[in-house]
């Protein structure tokens, strides 16, 4: 199937527009979180983890701008941090089974990251001659 350059350009432009919107929304969310920290005059671990999640989102967008690809590991890292934040913030209100299930979900994500990293080392993507890496 031949590539239509105009369609490809439009899609690439739309991707970039959405990425810029994601960056703007993430920066806004970071600003809101910093504002709350200043107003409350306290910084909790939950606040720091939320800012770390925002940082990972920005890193993921940066990675996409640089390479045109999103590494699968980035959303997994965000998921791990989000689960950790959820546990830290709501642990007192959770029953034992919920805590165990969330912990198990985090473990599954961590194992998934490990397997993907091993897979990239043992079975790297083949290089395409004259194409993008």
């Amino acid at each position: 199937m031949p590539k239509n350059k105009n369609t490809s350009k439009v899609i690439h432009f739309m991707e970039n527009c959405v990425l810029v919107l994601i960056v703007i929304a993430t920066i806004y969310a970071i600003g809101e979180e910093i504002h709350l920290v200043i107003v409350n005059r306290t910084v909790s671990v939950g606040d720091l983890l939320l800012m770390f999640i925002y940082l990972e989102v920005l890193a993921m967008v940066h990675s996409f701008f640089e390479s045109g690809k999103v590494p699968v590991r980035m959303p997994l890292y965000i998921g791990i941090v989000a689960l950790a934040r959820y546990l830290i913030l709501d642990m007192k209100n959770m029953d034992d089974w919920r805590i165990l299930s969330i912990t198990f979900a985090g473990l599954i994500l961590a194992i998934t990251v490990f397997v993907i990293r091993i897979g990239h080392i043992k079975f790297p993507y083949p290089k395409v001659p004259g194409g993008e890496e």
Side-chain angles (χ1 to χ4, degrees):
M1 180 189 313
K3 290 184 180 180
N4 184 338
K5 287 193 178 220
N6 289 333
T7 304
S8 179
K9 285 181 181 180
V10 168
I11 291 173
H12 185 66
F13 175 76
M14 289 171 39
E15 283 176 347
N16 287 336
C17 288
V18 172
L19 288 172
V20 168
L21 289 174
I22 291 170
V23 167
I24 291 168
T26 304
I27 290 171
Y28 180 79
I30 291 169
E32 276 189 328
E33 186 63 26
I34 290 171
H35 175 67
L36 283 174
V37 165
I38 291 170
V39 167
N40 294 335
R41 296 178 143 194
T42 182
V43 179
S44 69
V45 175
D47 297 328
L48 295 175
L49 288 174
L50 186 58
M51 285 193 264
F52 185 72
I53 290 171
Y54 294 145
L55 181 65
E56 285 295 319
V57 170
L58 290 176
M60 191 167 50
V61 171
H62 179 263
S63 175
F64 189 85
F65 269 129
E66 291 283 314
S67 69
K69 303 173 195 165
V70 174
V72 175
R73 292 184 314 227
M74 302 282 283
L76 295 174
Y77 294 146
I78 292 170
I80 292 169
V81 174
L83 286 172
R85 182 177 184 274
Y86 179 57
L87 272 175
I88 289 169
L89 292 179
D90 294 336
M91 187 178 286
K92 292 179 183 174
N93 301 326
M94 291 184 202
D95 61 6
D96 294 342
W97 286 109
R98 178 165 289 231
I99 292 171
L100 282 174
S101 63
I102 293 169
T103 304
F104 188 66
L107 180 63
I108 289 172
L109 289 175
I111 290 170
T112 303
V113 169
F114 180 73
V115 168
I116 290 171
R117 288 191 63 118
I118 295 298
H120 282 263
I121 292 169
K122 297 266 186 195
F123 309 104
Y125 292 118
K127 296 197 188 263
V128 179
E132 286 186 13
E133 201 172 318

